[in-house]
Amino acid sequence: MAEAQCQTIRLKLLKIGALVRVTVRKVWVKFSSGCPYAEVFRRVHTNLARSGPLIPRC
């Protein structure tokens, strides 16, 4: 994915079928058992979580 084009990233990571459940404190994402890019999505999520908040707190 390091050299992927925007279209490829959009197709593989953003256009996925998943069940999303939002609570007060958490967002749960359930992938289908046959989702071919679930592991890539998890890796991207882990890397984003390590980088800290995207919006600075006031």
Side-chain angles (χ1 to χ4, degrees), residues 4 6 11 17 20-22 25 27 39-40 46 49 51 57-58:
C6 291
L11 285 173
V20 179
R21 192 177 101 206
V22 180
R25 296 185 180 172
V27 176
E39 185 55 38
V40 176
T46 301
S51 68
R57 295 181 185 201
C58 298

Side-chain angles (χ1 to χ4, degrees), residues 16 18-31 41-42 45:
I16 57 170
L19 178 64
V20 179
R21 192 177 101 206
V22 180
T23 65
V24 174
R25 296 185 180 172
K26 294 184 181 182
V27 176
W28 300 88
V29 180
K30 281 185 140 184
F31 295 104
F41 190 84
R42 284 186 194 99
H45 174 265

Side-chain angles (χ1 to χ4, degrees), residues 5 10 17-18 20 23 37 44-46 48 50 52-55 58:
Q5 294 179 355
R10 186 177 75 82
V20 179
T23 65
Y37 300 107
V44 169
H45 174 265
T46 301
L48 287 173
R50 284 186 194 153
L54 298 176
I55 301 172
C58 298

